[in-house]
Amino acid sequence: MSGTPRSEPDFRLPADAGAVAALVGGELESGDADARITALAMLHEAEPTDLSFVAVQAWAGRYAASRAGVVMASRGVQLPPRADGHHAPVIRVADADLGMARLLEAITPADEAPAAGVHAQALVDPTADVGDGVSIGPGCTVGPRVRLGDGCVLHAGSHVYADAVIGPGGTLWPGVVIRERTRIGARFLAHANVVIGGDGFGFRGDAGDDGRPIIRKVPHLGNVVIGDDVELGACTCVDKGKFGSTRIGNQTKIDNHVQVGHNVVIGDLVVISGCCAIAGSCVIGDGVMVGGATAFADHVTIGPGTKLAGGSQVMADVPAGVEWGGIPAQHFKDRIRQEVAVRKLPDLLKRLKRSGLEL
């Protein structure tokens, strides 16, 4: 990927079914290759000139009632006859979700960035090292000794503090704050109001000079280190380490409103859904997938390749490559056994009562 802002793609709608199939590396299984596509739509909203998709067999039933003019379907998905009798052209791909992602990437226009250069209402310290083609919008501040790689874009009201480094092709949407000494790799994307490098949540009970109890703040002197191709959703916060670094690996994607505590280590290719809370010093291995609103106790380790269901509360270490969930989080097989046992309990109590026994 280039370190400069993405240029306008060549592919545009309207197009025909054959052109879309070629773009996504699919095969036109049936129907007219010249069938016109003017827009993309969900199955229940699609009109006769729209393209929709069926990624898994569970969605196939919705296709029967759809009016979509063309459908992209994963290989192996069996499509039922349409209620309207129309035989829509079918584009077959290995994974229709990925196929649609490629199509969306091709037709999505480039983001509108501030003009290259420094806006008259921005403040850039003279010691900052600003790369080629950087855009710095109104109300931005760039602190002493900051390094911004080629093609970085700072939208209005973004702030980068002293000694921070952002690699080429980084984008900060409005209100993003990058605190001092943060190190960020190439092609970083932070959505609005992300805060990186704020103080960790560290407080201890103590006595003041007069002997009365106080809550004493624990200073945090570390930083945050982020790899290449990382994306952080709006209002996500990543705290700096107490000493040492909070780390996020390459290609990791984090959704909105996620809290990453001090000295957390997140590996490569991790996906974390919205509203998760990761307490200090947790370790999350490569390839982990975390469902929304999951909470982590401090100092737990999640093994590589694990999947955590949304709403889980992780109170202890989790092995690699498993599927866990629940409160507290545990292996799904154990959860299912417990659910079955709980559902059988009322009947068991009735039988005990009939037999003259009561718990």
Side-chain angles (χ1 to χ4, degrees), residues 157-189:
S158 296
H159 304 282
V160 184
Y161 283 74
D163 299 300
V165 176
I166 303 177
T171 299
L172 309 183
W173 282 96
V176 172
V177 175
I178 309 295
R179 288 284 297 274
E180 58 277 0
R181 303 185 308 282
T182 298
R183 299 287 186 268
I184 299 175
R187 299 170 296 277
F188 175 66
L189 176 56

Side-chain angles (χ1 to χ4, degrees), residues 99-335:
M100 289 297 286
R102 294 190 183 103
L103 178 55
L104 286 166
E105 184 177 3
I107 67 174
T108 299
D111 297 325
E112 289 190 15
V118 179
H119 192 277
Q121 295 176 353
L123 297 175
V124 178
D125 190 275
T127 64
D129 181 2
V130 178
D132 295 335
V134 170
S135 301
I136 300 177
C140 293
T141 60
V142 177
R145 299 171 300 281
V146 166
R147 298 205 308 268
L148 300 178
D150 295 347
C152 282
V153 176
L154 278 60
H155 287 271
S158 296
H159 304 282
V160 184
Y161 283 74
D163 299 300
V165 176
I166 303 177
T171 299
L172 309 183
W173 282 96
V176 172
V177 175
I178 309 295
R179 288 284 297 274
E180 58 277 0
R181 303 185 308 282
T182 298
R183 299 287 186 268
I184 299 175
R187 299 170 296 277
F188 175 66
L189 176 56
H191 292 276
N193 299 317
V194 162
V195 178
I196 301 174
D199 289 354
F201 191 73
F203 298 91
R204 292 292 180 271
D206 199 355
D209 294 338
D210 59 0
R212 295 182 180 181
I214 63 170
I215 297 176
R216 187 175 299 280
K217 181 178 176 64
V218 178
H220 285 67
L221 301 178
N223 71 340
V224 176
V225 177
I226 296 176
D228 296 338
D229 301 296
V230 171
E231 180 169 344
L232 302 182
C235 300
T236 282
C237 297
V238 183
D239 293 346
K240 63 186 173 186
K242 184 186 297 184
F243 32 82
S245 302
T246 302
R247 296 182 178 272
I248 299 176
N250 299 323
Q251 289 278 352
T252 286
K253 315 296 181 185
I254 300 179
D255 197 3
N256 303 335
H257 292 277
V258 173
Q259 164 63 28
V260 180
H262 65 271
N263 294 104
V264 167
V265 176
I266 299 175
D268 298 341
L269 297 162
V270 174
V271 178
I272 300 176
S273 298
C275 298
C276 291
I278 306 170
S281 299
C282 289
V283 177
I284 299 178
D286 295 345
V288 169
M289 300 181 69
V290 182
T294 294
F296 297 76
D298 58 286
H299 291 84
V300 300
T301 297
I302 313 299
T306 284
K307 297 179 180 179
L308 297 172
S312 299
Q313 293 188 6
V314 183
M315 309 301 293
D317 292 352
V318 180
V322 298
E323 295 184 6
W324 277 34
I327 304 174
Q330 57 186 313
H331 199 288
F332 272 124
K333 290 182 179 178
D334 294 331
R335 282 191 64 205

